[in-house]
Every structure is written in C-alpha cells, then in structure tokens.
Amino acid sequence: MAKGKSTTVFFCQSCGYESVKWMGQCPGCRQWNTFVEESVLTKSKETGGKKTGGLKSRPSALSEISLEEEDRITTRMQELDRVLGGGLVKGSLILVGGDPGIGKSTLLLQVCRNLAGDGREVLYVSGEESLKQIKIRANRIGEFNEHLKLLCETSLPAVEETIRNVKPDIVVIDSIQTMYHEGISSAPGSVSQVRESTGTFLQLAKGLNISIFIVGHVTKEGTVAGPRVLEHMVDTVLYFEGDRHASYRILRGVKNRFGSTNEIGVFEMEASGLREVMNPSEFMLSGKPEETSGSIVVCSIEGTRPMLIEIQALVCHSNFGIPRRQTIGTDFNRVNLLIAVLEKRLGMSLGNCDAYVNIAGGIKIQEPAVDLGIAMALASSFKNRIIDSKLIAIGEVGLSGEVRGVSMIQARVQEAKKLGFTACVIPYVCMESVKEIKGIKIIGVKTVADAIAYL
Ligand code: TYD
Ligand code: MG
C-alpha cells in the first residue's frame, strides 16, 4: 500500500482477514460471502508510522520490575473474581462476550455498583440504551451511589475525551459494536470500526492504568463480531453463556493474561439481577429424578472446581433402519464411541436402538472423566435397571473397555462426599490416592464391565 494514500481494503466480517481484493470465500475461516469493503483510517496510519520511528522505550531487567502495579481490585463477586484470576487487574482490557439478552449489561452494571460502592470512580458508557433504560435496570438491581457515572454515547472520540477528562478507575463500554469513529466510512460493528475502537480503549487502559470492560455481542456463528481481531488485542476474554430459557448463566474464561483459563463462574438470573451460585453442584443436581433408569451423577472438573452433574441417557428400540443418536451438552462422537465399546466389549446389541444422551441443566462438558458415567447411564437405560441415586461414577473409558485414571480424583470424591453421596465408582488405578477419604464407599473398577456389574 502506498504511504499516505487513503485506501479501501476488504475485511472478512467473520474472522477479520484482510485482503486488497474481494473474494468469495475467506481463506482464513473458509466462510462464504463475508468480505466487505472498508476504508482504512489514514490518520492512525500516519501516527503509527511516526511512533515506530521516535519511540523511546528502554529495555529493563526482569528482576527489577516490581509487581505492585499488578494489584488486584476485588469486584465483590467471588465468581467473577475467580474467573478473572483473583480480581480485576489495573490497566487491563477485558472483553465480555455473549448472546444478546444473556445478561452482560446486568452483570457489568452489578460490578459497577460494587466497585462504586467501594469508592472507586466508575464510568458506564452505553451505546445501546438510554439513561432512563439504564435507570430502570439499575432500580431492579439495587442501590447505586454517586461514584457511578453514566454516559450515553456512540462516538469514539467523544468517549475517549470523556474518559481522559473524568479519569475513572473502571470503565464499561456497552457495547463495542455500537462505537463509531467518523473517520472510518464503514458502519458501526464492522471490522475496521471494532478494531479502531478496541485499539483506542487498549491505549487508554494501558496509558491511564485503568481497567476497561468491553461488551461484545456474539454473532450467529458463535463468535464476537470481528472476533479474532478483538480477542488478540485484549488481555482477558470472558464468555457469558447459558440457555436463555434456563435461569443459570455461566461465565467462562477463554483467554486470560493474568490467570488460568477455563475457570467458570456460575450465576443465576433473578428478578433483581444476577445472583452468584457458590455451590454449583447442588444447583446442577436440583430436580434430579429419583428411581429412574438411565440417570447417573458424574463429577467434572471445571477450572479448579469439581462440579457434580447429572447425565441422562435414553435407549429405546429404533423404528427406522438407521438408529438415531443424539447428544445434548456432550461430544457426539465420544458418545458414539462409548456405544461401540458397549456393543463390542459387553455384547449389548445397541445397533438397532436409538440412543439419546443429555447433560442435565444444559451445561456443556468435554472432559473424558465423564465417559464412565455416560456408559453406565446408557447401560442402565438399555437394561432398564435403576442406578442407586447416591452413587457417582468417575473415569475415562478406553477403546478396549478399560477404565483409565483421571486427574484430581481426591477433589472429585470429596465433592461427592460433601453432597451426601454414599458410593463412588472410580478407576482402579486411582484407589491408592483416595484411600484416606473416609465416609464414602469407594469401588475401584478396571473395566466398564466391572462397573456395569454394579447396576
Ligand atoms: P441484559 O443484561 O440486558 O443482556 P445483554 O446485555 O447480554 O443483552 O439481560 C437481559 C435479560 O435479563 C432480560 O431478558 C431480562 C433479564 N433480567 C432479569 O431476569 N432480571 C433482572 O434483574 C434484569 C436486570 C434482567
Ligand atoms: Mg446489553
């Protein structure tokens, strides 16, 4: 590109791939018809050029850097603090993504209330709702003090100026897709606009040492608009997920420069905003049916926390040539594999049966440690035998039907004990690690067949 010339570039609206010419299919993400022509802001290019020439940064010794700067601010929401890696880091940029209506604005308004309650200056910038609409929401949530300031604005330079003038400690931008810079001809929410806005907020966060939350809506493909562009620029990416029709919400860390990822925070949406769910296992198991076949409790590790989850399976005679297999909340291929293991290693003729597996509560689990539970639920439904409702199953299943060891077995068994379970089926190889745990019957199994013998 010639320097100083105003240019137009084509951006893939799905992944942010940049190209000088239009293309039907994006080479980056293989989506069709996603390229849109956008003009690039020449101003930022000029300053960008100058900066690299005249930047005066000195290298510093790692041992001389003090960690005081990275002090954490508590949001007074334990669930959120944990996902953030122990609180909010000053000068960090946090992206909160999620489907529309999932509760992003509600969560952040509650965070603002807590932080303002601690005497910090908070600025909530809304490009989506009017002051009155925010007030109506705030009334449902509770009391707010004068440290929280609201601003309804979509113009990026205006927001930037306000932040520089007000000098708040925490800023919330709701949402990044509504922010608009006049210097860029493309529409709000397009890749260039989102990239420009995020870049501006990144500079503000680092320059003024303030924490900025940005809300990003997720497109129907399941990613934040201009997603990769956004995700690599920010320090932390949190996704707020959950079934809109169920009341609980899960906040998941996807990227975190200041803590572990894959931590989750569990919330419940109530009439007065989001409530933290401190004991997700209890919550996930509420409403579990007693005395029915095909239902078993398993323990999955979510981040650093064990969580008990109910697995339901339904196996019934198929009326069609090709049996139906369906899974909700767990990996489809994994379930097919377990069905094959049951068929081959245990001689269960599931070939002419429909099989459905559901993770109750709508949560998604990927961990292989739930394999044994899924296999036992399938077998229980197939044989129509009830599994003891006080029994939990932990273990990974291999192709030859062996039950393999899993990590963090003690934490899992302790969690089961805490919630009143009386028996625990675990991999035989893990027996040694849990021999000190008393008050719960531990059954070590070597194969799926051994486990199913307990039904
Ligand atoms: P919202 O925070 O506006 O979602 P987002 O910003 O992610 O689009 O959440 C809106 C939903 O939450 C809406 O369907 C109503 C519900 N809600 C409650 O159930 N209780 C409440 O106290 C509030 C404020 C919202
Ligand atoms: Mg909102």
Side-chain angles (χ1 to χ4, degrees), residues 104-105 128-129 137 174 215 217:
K104 301 180 294 297
S105 307
E128 298 192 334
E129 291 158 305
R137 186 201 304 272
D174 191 1
V215 172
H217 289 297

Side-chain angles (χ1 to χ4, degrees), residues 250-276:
I250 288 170
L251 189 67
R252 202 178 279 279
V254 179
K255 164 184 174 182
N256 193 353
R257 288 193 179 138
F258 313 112
S260 107
T261 48
N262 288 328
E263 277 291 4
I264 67 161
V266 185
F267 297 88
E268 189 180 0
M269 183 62 97
E270 291 183 341
S272 59
L274 289 158
R275 186 180 64 84
E276 294 177 78

Side-chain angles (χ1 to χ4, degrees), residues 201-214:
F201 293 125
L202 183 69
Q203 280 176 9
L204 283 170
K206 306 293 166 193
L208 305 175
N209 198 26
I210 57 177
S211 307
I212 304 184
F213 283 99
I214 51 185

Side-chain angles (χ1 to χ4, degrees), residues 294-298 309-313 357-360 365 370 373-374 377:
S295 156
I296 193 167
V297 177
V298 296
I309 297 157
E310 184 199 348
I311 291 189
Q312 299 182 319
V357 172
N358 176 34
I359 308 295
I365 40 178
V370 302
I374 297 176

Side-chain angles (χ1 to χ4, degrees), residues 134-164:
I134 301 173
K135 178 77 184 165
I136 294 170
R137 186 201 304 272
N139 280 345
R140 297 174 68 169
I141 294 174
E143 297 281 305
F144 285 78
N145 68 14
E146 69 289 349
H147 291 295
L148 174 64
K149 307 274 189 313
L150 298 178
L151 174 71
C152 287
E153 183 61 75
T154 55
S155 158
L156 182 64
V159 173
E160 185 180 355
E161 203 187 309
T162 314
I163 294 176
R164 288 194 190 278

Side-chain angles (χ1 to χ4, degrees), residues 69 115 160 180 231 260 320 382 408 435 451:
E69 290 148 30
L115 290 166
E160 185 180 355
Y180 182 75
E231 287 185 358
S260 107
F320 299 99
F382 178 75
M408 295 175 73
K435 67 173 190 284

